[in-house]
Amino acid sequence: QARLMESGGDSVQAGGSLRLSCVASGINNLRCMGWFRQSPGKEREGVAVIHLNGSTTYAESVKGRAVISRDQDNAEDTLYLQMSGLRPEDTATYYCAADHSLICLGRLRTGVMTYWGEGTQVTISS
């Protein structure tokens, strides 16, 4: 069964750090993966996307504060998002997403991905 499972969401104070993880199972040949977020009353937005070749792109709001990475060396295919300097405006549900397409980095803006996780909550207090 195709599944993306996020973890790592937490409640932290502003200025803190978090690492989100997403394990992909039951899905092969994922060439594009990314993190998106949505807070109440706002549209979903792309946070970061990574191509199979390692190329990455980030939302302006997180540039310099976030690093997306992927680990395929182990039996599991795991996507990470390391965030630092967290701000109250980073509060949102963070979703992992993935696609088979090599047309990848533009999906940060379009949000068009085939597979989605159920989300993990990140809450930043001031």
Side-chain angles (χ1 to χ4, degrees):
Q1 182 180 1
R3 189 178 186 187
L4 299 176
M5 175 64 77
E6 303 97 336
S7 62
D10 203 351
S11 296
V12 300
Q13 289 192 330
S17 300
L18 276 178
R19 188 176 81 159
L20 305 181
S21 301
C22 170
V23 177
S25 58
I27 321 171
N28 294 320
N29 300 317
L30 291 173
R31 300 179 179 92
C32 184
M33 298 188 78
W35 290 97
F36 297 78
R37 67 186 182 187
Q38 188 169 23
S39 51
K42 294 186 178 180
E43 292 188 356
R44 185 183 63 199
E45 63 173 347
V47 177
V49 169
I50 185 167
H51 190 284
L52 181 65
N53 66 11
S55 299
T56 59
T57 188
Y58 296 88
E60 286 295 326
S61 59
V62 302
K63 275 185 180 178
R65 302 189 297 119
V67 177
I68 187 172
S69 62
R70 183 177 179 183
D71 182 1
Q72 296 179 279
D73 293 336
N74 299 321
E76 292 182 330
D77 187 354
T78 306
L79 182 73
Y80 299 100
L81 182 69
Q82 178 72 47
M83 293 192 70
S84 59
L86 287 162
R87 306 166 181 170
E89 53 263 40
D90 294 320
T91 295
T93 301
Y94 284 69
Y95 297 92
C96 172
D99 198 90
H100 297 294
S101 177
L102 284 169
I103 301 173
C104 180
L105 299 185
R107 294 173 190 269
L108 179 77
R109 179 183 59 82
T110 68
V112 175
M113 293 283 209
T114 299
Y115 304 98
W116 290 86
E118 295 184 353
T120 186
Q121 179 66 37
V122 172
T123 303
I124 311 301
S125 58
S126 57

